Amino acid sequence: MSAQGRRPRPRQGDAPSLVGSEWELEVGPVAHGGHCVARHEGQVVFVRHTLPGERVRARVTEGRVGDRFVRADAVEVLVASPHRVERPCPYAVPGQCGGCDFQHVAMPHQRELKAAVVREQFARIAHLDVDVEVRPVPGDRDGLRWRTRVEFAVDESGRAGLREYRSRRVVAIDDCLIATDGVLASGVLDTDWTGVDSVDVVDAAHPEEPVLVPVAGGEAADGGLVGELARDGDWTGEYVVAARGFWQVHPGAATTFLTRVVAHLDVRPGDHVLDLYAGSGLFTLRLGELVGPAGAVLGIEGDDRAVKNGIDNCADLTTVEWRANRVDRELTSLVAQGITADLVVLDPPRTGAGKDVVTSVAAMTPRRVVYVACDPAALARDVDAFASHGYRMSHLEAWDAFPMTHHVECIAVLEPAE
């Protein structure tokens, strides 16, 4: 939830700052990152808190004369979009919490904007014309009360809050409308956290009470393990992860993505499957059963603790093996040994897999690759890289696993072009 600090950009010498300038703008299309694009006297302006087609008065928050682009907030709407709604959260305004991007947008149109971003990224980066619809994750409650893990920042007085957009400033809050009821019931907003930098609150299936993990001086307390459930039809799997480890924060996401990945892979008994960036085994656990006694699943994950948890989660499956290593390095070794795979599933971090991983995956000649991505730009780049190795994207779908924010989860299927 907490935003990153302001990232410096190259400056044009001692050019005058534009911060605080107010301009009347005609707002253009949505862009990747939760803002829309406008222009002022030829200069590109990335504007938050607005919608395509609106006319707004915008205040510059970052930028100087001569910069390639500047950032701004819409502080007054002069001509509103028909898709604009009253924000449910009082903190989702300029100068306040930066966690949400689209609180001012009707839910169906939020998904249309995300679909437009996915299409634009694929057209620009992968040179593909894709037709995609962003679907709600089952269990959605009008885009609210879905986030089961929230990292709260702590201000100098010891009060937990959330950060302003692209700032270290902590905004004091009384509620976070996208956090689950369990996160708020933990009492995190009513506790004095003096001496703590931030605190993670985890509202998992197990234990019944939310887990609070304070972080001070860059060191996190031991939050222990939490348990999650995922289902694929009549099958139910329970797996444990570290409280601060990676897992899907929307309650319906793990089951949704597991079901879709399994359906797209079309696993056959005896298949050899690679699960890359396997985490603690969300996909590995199910795949280990589907390949049957003659098959094999290799989970590769760079986080040692996640691998340990994955080994425990799959302890009853003799078909599953784990490797704790960077994915690119492990794949290079496997390719050098002449290892091949029938199927590959990968769920990389936001930066994507990258060309080295794509090259190695293609060298292993799988009949199908299923790629789960939380950033459409990184996915489009990797799909383009796969194309250079003879793999085409045969299917693309998108899911709104992060309502009210600009984030969108995509699942792509790649197969040999011939």
Side-chain angles (χ1 to χ4, degrees):
M1 286 290 296
S2 60
Q4 297 296 314
R6 295 184 185 275
R7 298 184 292 274
R9 302 204 313 270
R11 296 301 189 190
Q12 303 295 320
D14 295 323
S17 172
L18 292 170
V19 174
S21 300
E22 293 191 1
W23 302 330
E24 186 173 315
L25 302 173
E26 299 286 343
V27 180
V30 67
H32 185 27
H35 44 251
C36 295
V37 181
R39 289 184 181 272
H40 177 73
E41 297 180 353
Q43 192 168 34
V44 173
V45 187
F46 290 146
V47 193
R48 282 172 54 85
H49 305 288
T50 187
L51 279 161
E54 292 189 327
R55 187 163 73 248
V56 301
R57 183 167 59 86
R59 181 178 300 131
V60 177
T61 57
E62 290 182 54
R64 295 176 179 270
V65 173
D67 279 357
R68 186 165 55 91
F69 64 86
V70 301
R71 300 181 185 274
D73 286 336
V75 294
E76 182 181 358
V77 179
L78 305 175
V79 177
S81 164
H83 303 292
R84 177 175 283 275
V85 296
E86 189 70 26
R87 298 175 179 88
C89 176
Y91 306 108
V93 295
Q96 295 294 307
C97 175
C100 290
D101 307 290
F102 294 142
Q103 291 257 356
H104 60 288
V105 186
M107 280 305 307
H109 195 59
Q110 287 188 32
R111 294 173 183 135
E112 292 172 357
L113 293 177
K114 295 181 183 187
V117 168
V118 174
R119 289 193 296 269
E120 191 272 335
Q121 295 299 306
F122 270 87
R124 182 176 62 85
I125 299 172
H127 315 290
L128 292 176
D129 182 12
V130 300
D131 182 16
V132 65
E133 174 189 357
V134 176
R135 302 182 235 179
V137 171
D140 183 74
R141 296 166 54 186
D142 296 322
L144 304 176
R145 299 302 183 206
W146 57 267
R147 194 172 182 103
T148 57
R149 172 180 167 181
V150 182
E151 182 181 351
F152 293 92
V154 177
D155 65 18
E156 294 179 353
S157 70
R159 181 173 180 180
L162 297 170
R163 296 196 188 278
E164 182 184 353
Y165 180 67
R166 292 175 61 83
S167 171
R168 303 300 298 173
R169 187 177 76 87
V170 180
V171 177
I173 61 172
D174 296 316
D175 190 4
C176 173
L177 290 181
I178 65 171
T180 62
D181 295 326
V183 166
L184 275 300
S186 71
V188 61
L189 297 178
D190 302 317
T191 301
D192 183 350
W193 295 103
T194 300
V196 171
D197 301 320
S198 63
V199 56
D200 253 0
V201 184
V202 182
D203 179 22
H206 303 291
E208 294 183 0
E209 296 294 324
V211 175
L212 289 85
V213 186
V215 180
E219 296 293 328
D222 184 5
L225 300 176
V226 297
E228 280 299 317
L229 298 174
R231 296 177 173 83
D232 178 30
D234 294 332
W235 179 90
T236 299
E238 182 173 357
Y239 62 103
V240 297
V241 300
R244 299 192 84 234
F246 174 78
W247 47 285
Q248 296 293 341
V249 296
H250 191 297
T255 289
T256 299
F257 300 153
L258 174 64
T259 301
R260 301 304 295 165
V261 164
V262 167
H264 289 309
L265 280 174
D266 190 22
V267 182
R268 303 168 189 168
D271 274 340
H272 287 215
V273 185
L274 279 179
D275 186 1
L276 307 180
Y277 311 94
S280 295
L282 169 61
F283 303 133
T284 326
L285 184 61
R286 178 61 169 144
L287 295 173
E289 297 187 5
L290 290 173
V291 298
V297 179
L298 175 59
I300 304 176
E301 167 60 47
D303 183 274
D304 290 342
R305 185 169 183 181
V307 170
K308 180 181 183 300
N309 294 333
I311 291 172
D312 291 341
N313 290 329
C314 301
D316 295 333
L317 294 171
T318 59
T319 54
V320 174
E321 181 184 353
W322 285 86
R323 301 278 178 88
N325 197 358
R326 273 179 39 173
V327 170
D328 57 343
R329 292 176 179 172
E330 190 64 34
L331 287 182
T332 298
S333 174
L334 293 174
V335 171
Q337 297 172 60
I339 304 297
T340 61
D342 299 302
L343 300 168
V344 176
V345 58
L346 62 163
D347 186 2
R350 192 169 303 281
T351 51
K355 64 179 182 179
D356 290 343
V357 168
V358 169
T359 299
S360 293
V361 168
M364 301 180 83
T365 64
R367 71 172 183 269
R368 186 167 297 164
V369 177
V370 177
Y371 189 135
V372 183
C374 56
D375 186 277
L379 174 60
R381 181 204 63 208
D382 289 344
V383 165
D384 189 52
F386 269 110
S388 69
H389 293 286
Y391 279 77
R392 66 180 182 88
M393 186 173 69
S394 58
H395 176 78
L396 176 68
E397 63 190 50
W399 295 89
D400 194 12
F402 310 93
M404 300 294 177
T405 79
H406 74 273
H407 300 293
V408 59
E409 198 88 7
C410 295
I411 300 176
V413 180
L414 298 123
E415 298 174 299
E418 63 271 14

